[in-house]
Each structure stands twice: as C-alpha cells, then as structure tokens.
C-alpha cells in the first residue's frame, strides 16, 4: 500500500488545495480573494471564531464524530470568504480545494449560518451619544441625524410559482429581486441591515417590517430619499424625517439648496451599498435555492464591509 492510500485510510487529504491560508501573503491578494483589507484582519477575525470547530461540525455529536474534516478549519473559512467575495460556483470551489461538491456545499451551509450569528456584533447599532460626539462637520445642519437609510435590490431567478413571481417582481428593476433596507451612521458605518424581502415590497412596508424605527429614540432624525413617505410613522415616535422637498411646483432657492445638501449627505449610503456589493455573490442573479441563506449572506457581507476604513474622513 502506497503512502497516499495510507493517508486516505486515516482521513488525511492527499491532494493539497490550490490555495490555502498561508498563500495569502499580500494585501492585494487578501482583498481580491476574501474582501478583507489585509491578512492581519483575516487572522484577527478567524481568531475570534473560537467555537467554529464545534459549531460547524457536520459529523454529528457525541462519541461518534464520523469522518474527520477534509480541510483545515482556517481553509474552510478561506473557502467561504472566497465564495462570498468572488461568487464562485460550488463546482469551481470544490475543484480548487480538492473536495467533492457535496462536501463544499455542506461547508458553505454550516459556515454561513455560523458566521451570520458570530459576526452580528460587527453591524453595531451605535448609541446616540457616540454618534453626536463623533458627528462629521458636514452634518452641522442635521446634528440629530441617527441613521441614513436606503433600499437596495438583488437579482434572483424567476420562480415557477405565479404567486411568487407577483411578489418578487420589481417594477424599479423590471426583474425578480430580493430587497433589503440598509442604514448607515453619519460616519459611514453600516449600522442596520434588514432581512431580504420580496422585490415588490414598498419602501414604507419594508421600513415597518424591518423594525428599524423601534431602534431609534425620540429626538433622533432619520435621513432618507424622497420615496420614503414615512412621516406618519416617524412623527408619532418623536422622530424627525429628513428628506428632500417634494416637487409640487417650481423650487425656490432654499428648496434647491436643501435638496442639494441632502443629496450630498445621502451619497454616503450609496457608497456603503457599493462597497457591500463588492462581494460578488450579491451581484448577478442569485439562485432561488439560496433563498434560505440569502439574508444571512447579506449580513455577513455587511459585517465584513465594516472592517474597512471609514467612508467619511472628517478633518
């Protein structure tokens, strides 16, 4: 019996993956493959996953642990990050890591559920006091702004069910989509990510269902696009809604200036969503079969986006 056969018998992988964690040596490589700014951040996040061995165990519990892991824990983590960052198909990842497609699929499912819980603290709802103490100078006209919100959509496949098609069809995108509400602080940190809802939901409905307003306190201000007609929701809570003036007639000079000022501040939430979609799994058309994982994937990508330098540099 040759060495390879012996290694197989004891559950050690014979063929080394094309890429392992030690191969990520430069910041550019780390950003390209994982979406993280450098290897130090990669190692720091992985070091916090102290219960990953147990929580991502696919071999059962008790004395019978079943077959050992095919990959090292750190390489499983790398595999999942590559899946999120580059949007590679499971078949491709299975080939690169020298594992079966079924094993690759199981690794992804277990890690997605695990990371969505473990990294939840990286999307912090920042206290009002902290926000006001660190309010960028450009928000001096809106010192009580707590969160800037907007919706974003992600393409998905055309379902077979007619009822599902009706719910998922987005008139804005002219396509089947999932829709999420994203909130950032005035400093540019993603502080709120809703679950994904069907693309046909309105901005007002998703604001209600997401629970965002329950997190705000009386006296806070919420900045949004003019499509968020939610003043009947914010006013009773003692919240101030900052939206551009509605154009019922020709704008006067003050209204033009206010529209320009709000647009310049709201652009940061667009930049945050652009950074979020640098994770290519959120680009293209996501399969319907990913519907149970999609919200978790979105929140993981948002958490990983928050490890990058702040979007707003206030001198």
């Amino acid at each position: 019996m040759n060495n390879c056969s012996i290694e197989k018998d004891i559950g050690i992988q014979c063929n080394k993956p094309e890429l392992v964690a030690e191969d990520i040596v430069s910041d550019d490589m780390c950003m390209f493959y994982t979406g993280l700014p450098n290897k130090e951040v990669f190692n720091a996040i992985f070091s916090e996953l102290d219960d990953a061995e147990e929580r991502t165990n696919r071999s059962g519990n008790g004395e019978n642990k079943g077959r050992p892991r095919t990959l090292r824990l750190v390489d499983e983590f790398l595999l999942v990050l590559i899946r999120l960052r580059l949007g590679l198909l499971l078949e491709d990842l299975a080939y690169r890591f020298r594992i079966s497609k079924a094993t690759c699929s199981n690794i992804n499912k277990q890690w997605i559920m695990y990371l969505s819980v473990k990294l939840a603290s990286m999307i912090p709802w920042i206290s009002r006091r902290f926000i006001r103490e660190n309010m960028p100078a450009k928000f001096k006209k809106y010192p009580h702004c707590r969160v800037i919100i907007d919706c974003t959509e992600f393409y998905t496949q055309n379902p077979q069910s007619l009822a599902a098609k009706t719910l998922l069809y987005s008139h804005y995108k002219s396509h089947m989509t999932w829709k999420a509400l994203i909130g950032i602080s005035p400093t540019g940190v993603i502080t709120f990510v809703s679950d994904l809802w069907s693309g046909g939901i309105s901005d007002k409905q998703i604001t209600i269902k997401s629970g965002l307003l329950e997190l705000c306190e009386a006296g806070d201000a919420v900045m949004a696009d003019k499509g968020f007609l939610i003043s009947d929701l914010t006013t009773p809570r003692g919240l101030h809604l900052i939206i551009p003036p509605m154009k019922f007639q020709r704008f006067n000079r003050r209204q033009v200036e206010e529209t320009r000022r709000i647009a310049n501040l709201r652009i940061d939430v667009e930049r945050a969503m652009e950074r979020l979609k640098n994770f290519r799994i959120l680009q293209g058309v996501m399969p319907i079969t990913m519907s149970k994982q999609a919200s978790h994937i979105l929140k993981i990508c948002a958490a990983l986006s928050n490890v990058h330098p702040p979007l707003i540099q206030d001198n």
Side-chain angles (χ1 to χ4, degrees):
M1 182 178 295
N2 57 35
N3 291 336
C4 187
S5 297
I6 294 174
E7 288 181 341
K8 285 183 177 179
D9 287 344
I10 62 175
I12 299 176
Q13 188 175 12
C14 296
N15 297 322
K16 180 183 176 182
E18 285 188 356
L19 184 69
V20 294
E22 289 76 12
D23 295 327
I24 307 296
V25 294
S26 68
D27 293 353
D28 288 342
M29 282 187 68
C30 194
M31 183 63 193
F32 177 78
Y33 283 107
T34 71
L36 300 177
N38 52 59
K39 187 63 177 292
E40 287 73 22
V41 173
F42 176 92
N43 290 335
I45 294 176
F46 182 70
S47 69
E48 294 297 319
L49 308 180
D50 49 3
D51 57 348
E53 180 79 36
E54 175 187 356
R55 297 298 181 182
T56 63
N57 179 32
R58 300 174 303 281
S59 303
N61 299 312
E63 296 180 0
N64 181 19
K65 294 295 183 180
R67 297 177 61 186
R69 292 177 184 270
T70 306
L71 299 176
R72 298 178 305 164
L73 206 64
V74 67
D75 291 330
E76 289 189 3
F77 179 53
L78 176 63
L79 182 154
V80 174
L81 291 186
I82 292 175
R83 165 81 162 155
L84 298 176
R85 174 69 176 93
L86 299 180
L88 299 181
L89 297 176
L90 294 175
E91 291 87 346
D92 190 351
L93 285 169
Y95 174 79
R96 291 170 187 257
F97 282 85
R98 302 290 190 262
I99 56 178
S100 69
K101 180 185 174 182
T103 298
C104 187
S105 177
N106 286 333
I107 290 172
N108 271 276
K109 288 178 181 178
Q110 293 291 336
W111 275 87
I112 291 299
M113 298 303 295
Y114 169 68
L115 289 175
S116 67
V117 175
K118 197 69 176 180
L119 303 185
S121 61
M122 292 169 61
I123 308 176
W125 181 252
I126 303 175
S127 70
R128 177 163 65 183
R129 178 180 177 182
F130 184 88
I131 286 178
R132 292 185 179 179
E133 289 177 350
N134 296 275
M135 185 70 73
K138 66 180 184 177
F139 277 85
K140 63 181 179 180
K141 292 284 187 180
Y142 308 103
H144 301 293
C145 183
R146 182 78 177 271
V147 64
I148 309 165
I149 62 173
D150 203 355
C151 286
T152 186
E153 297 184 58
F154 306 92
Y155 293 121
T156 187
Q157 288 178 325
N158 197 348
Q160 294 183 347
S161 166
L162 184 59
K165 289 180 181 179
T166 302
L167 291 173
L168 288 172
Y169 185 76
S170 167
H171 291 280
Y172 179 68
K173 294 289 188 180
S174 299
H175 201 282
M176 303 297 167
T177 67
W178 289 318
K179 187 173 183 177
L181 179 68
I182 306 294
I184 69 168
S185 71
T187 55
V189 176
I190 298 177
T191 59
F192 183 84
V193 181
S194 74
D195 289 332
L196 287 170
W197 296 82
S198 54
I201 193 171
S202 69
D203 292 346
K204 183 173 184 177
Q205 287 176 311
I206 198 171
T207 303
I208 295 171
K209 293 180 179 294
S210 69
L212 170 72
L213 299 181
E214 281 75 11
L215 296 174
C216 296
E217 304 170 62
D220 288 341
V222 178
M223 182 175 288
D225 190 22
K226 59 185 177 182
F228 282 81
L229 304 177
I230 56 173
S231 59
D232 59 323
L233 304 176
T234 56
T235 302
R237 297 175 180 271
L239 308 177
H240 177 50
L241 180 64
I242 306 170
I243 60 174
M246 302 301 292
K247 192 173 183 179
F248 297 114
Q249 56 187 1
R250 185 175 181 179
F251 279 176
N252 58 37
R253 184 174 180 178
R254 182 191 62 79
Q255 290 173 320
V256 170
E257 175 61 23
E258 185 178 7
T259 300
R260 183 194 63 80
R261 184 167 54 244
I262 293 174
N264 286 339
L265 296 176
R266 283 195 63 261
I267 197 171
D268 292 319
V269 75
E270 302 287 346
R271 293 170 61 205
M273 291 190 293
E274 181 180 352
R275 178 182 278 184
L276 181 58
K277 290 184 179 180
N278 281 335
F279 290 90
R280 296 177 66 87
I281 197 167
L282 299 176
Q283 300 178 15
V285 179
M286 297 176 72
I288 286 290
T289 53
M290 289 178 60
S291 59
K292 292 183 178 180
Q293 297 181 349
S295 290
H296 300 294
I297 287 172
L298 174 63
K299 293 178 181 180
I300 294 170
C301 294
L304 298 177
S305 296
N306 273 344
V307 303
H308 288 266
L311 285 169
I312 301 172
Q313 301 289 344
D314 190 3
N315 293 329

